[in-house]
Amino acid sequence: MAVTPTDSIDKKLAQMYATKVTVNLDAKSTLSPNDFWSSMELIALNNKAVMNFRRK
């Protein structure tokens, strides 16, 4: 038996989640910009190597 959406279910859900915090806007990145760009360079080199490997 399927549950059909009704206004009462929507109201119950709205009450349940009215005080919940679903997004953490205070989150700070712990990754430094230098570490980020170093990892991006590594990913780019890996992609180039794979592309060259497939070509041969």
Side-chain angles (χ1 to χ4, degrees), residues 43-56:
I43 292 169
L45 286 172
N46 185 41
N47 287 342
K48 282 183 183 179
V50 170
M51 287 180 357
N52 289 332
F53 181 72
R54 288 181 184 164
R55 197 179 300 167
K56 292 181 180 180

Side-chain angles (χ1 to χ4, degrees), residues 20-41:
K20 303 282 188 221
V21 176
T22 57
V23 178
N24 185 2
L25 299 176
D26 296 332
K28 302 286 184 202
S29 176
T30 58
L31 186 64
S32 74
N34 290 335
D35 290 341
F36 172 77
W37 287 115
S38 295
S39 64
M40 292 305 288
E41 287 177 16

Side-chain angles (χ1 to χ4, degrees), residues 7-29:
D7 286 339
S8 64
I9 293 174
D10 289 342
K11 287 177 184 175
K12 286 181 186 177
L13 287 172
Q15 287 175 351
M16 285 172 49
Y17 289 102
T19 59
K20 303 282 188 221
V21 176
T22 57
V23 178
N24 185 2
L25 299 176
D26 296 332
K28 302 286 184 202
S29 176

